[in-house]
Amino acid sequence: MRDMMLIALYAFAGAAAAGLLGAGVLMLIRRRSLTAHLAVVAAVAVTAMLAGTLAVAQAMFLSAHDLSVVTTVAAMAAVVSLATALLLGRWVVARSRALTLAARSFGDGGDFAAPAGPATAELAALSRELEATSEKLARSRDRERALESSRRELVAWISHDLRTPLAGLRAMAEALEDGVAADPDRYLRQIRTEVERLNGMVGDLFELSRIHAGTLSLSPTRMSLYDLVGDALAGADPLARELGVRLVGDEVVAVPVEVDGREMSRVLGNLLVNAIRRTPADGTVAVAAERLPDGVLLTVTDGCGGIPEEDLPRVFDTGWRGSHARTPPAGAGLGLAIVRGIVEAHRGRTTVRNVSGGCRFEVILPHAPA
């Protein structure tokens, strides 16, 4: 028993010395290639075995011939181990380099494609993560391009929409100033109308800037959706009467919601005004609300004749106003973008779809806490 303890002790001492030496070498070459690290690890394993074997052989007083035999066997094992480690390291490094070259496509605005061929589990997992990241970056680039296009269109449209009323205001002001206005009261009423229009556009721009900056502050309170819709219908009724459009809100369920009343009134007001202006005279705009398993569904259906399928994904984009035939004279393409921003701030979502004779805007809000 004592001999076995001594043999184990000698073997451990020799292997420990080789292990400490290998750890020091690994620290020195920690910035070198993976091939070098694998070679050092293989060398440490063989050297530890050889050192332990030689220590035990010396302690057991083997003959010189036996000692040379043991040393030769260990040396051959070391050569094979090092060669295997170098081959394995070169294969892993080659795969890693191929992965590095494929990842460079990120910087060039391209998509990542994993190199073909077998790979270790870690490199395969890294390839999958890079592919997922590539898809996210592609979607992000598409969104950024769409937003940039929307910004350019918005600037162009806002510039045009501001120039027209400002030119009219200047002309009317000069006519009043020169005393050539045939009906000053009519001019003053028109000036007030244009000022209110400009004020509404500035208010929409300010609201949209708060949404995009993430500074929209909400004060949610528990209220009935029935009351919220009723107030919105009452506010939109004068415009509907003026344009000869009938408002219907018979299918609104009294569902409790927890929302910011002022902001949600703006959502409903924008949807109703948008629907009324795009519905021909003698048409109908219907509002409905119902409870769903995953939330509360609020819909506004108009009689606009439908939206082209290719335009449906852009309806809620900033500055989108559709075709010229469907563009209201006072619109700046901000109302629906504000609707989406406010609804998403309430953790809801907005969609639009074509129905018979028009389109239906849908707002889904979370259930009010019990």
Side-chain angles (χ1 to χ4, degrees), residues 104-119:
R104 287 179 182 174
S105 61
F106 287 157
D108 299 332
D111 296 329
F112 174 80

Side-chain angles (χ1 to χ4, degrees), residues 254-271:
V255 182
V257 290
E258 188 165 323
V259 296
D260 186 307
R262 184 173 65 88
E263 296 296 342
M264 283 307 301
S265 294
R266 181 160 195 163
V267 167
L268 289 171
N270 285 358
L271 290 176

Side-chain angles (χ1 to χ4, degrees), residues 139-213:
R139 291 194 296 267
S140 177
R141 285 193 293 267
D142 291 341
R143 285 195 300 268
E144 183 63 27
R145 283 192 288 266
L147 286 174
E148 184 60 29
S149 177
S150 297
R151 291 190 190 102
R152 288 195 297 268
E153 292 177 356
L154 176 63
V155 170
W157 286 334
I158 288 295
S159 299
H160 176 270
D161 289 344
L162 287 176
R163 187 181 297 114
T164 301
L166 287 175
L169 287 172
R170 171 184 288 182
M172 288 184 287
E174 290 176 351
L176 290 172
E177 185 178 11
D178 296 338
V180 298
D183 187 355
D185 291 337
R186 183 175 66 84
Y187 274 54
L188 291 173
R189 288 194 299 270
Q190 186 62 29
I191 288 175
R192 177 175 181 141
T193 300
E194 294 297 335
V195 169
E196 289 178 352
R197 175 185 172 190
L198 291 174
N199 183 65
M201 292 174 62
V202 172
D204 286 346
L205 284 171
F206 178 70
E207 183 79 1
L208 195 62
S209 67
R210 288 200 303 159
I211 292 172
H212 287 171

Side-chain angles (χ1 to χ4, degrees), residues 127-140:
S127 295
R128 290 192 296 271
E129 289 297 327
L130 288 175
E131 287 178 346
T133 302
S134 175
E135 294 177 359
K136 293 178 181 177
L137 288 175
R139 291 194 296 267
S140 177

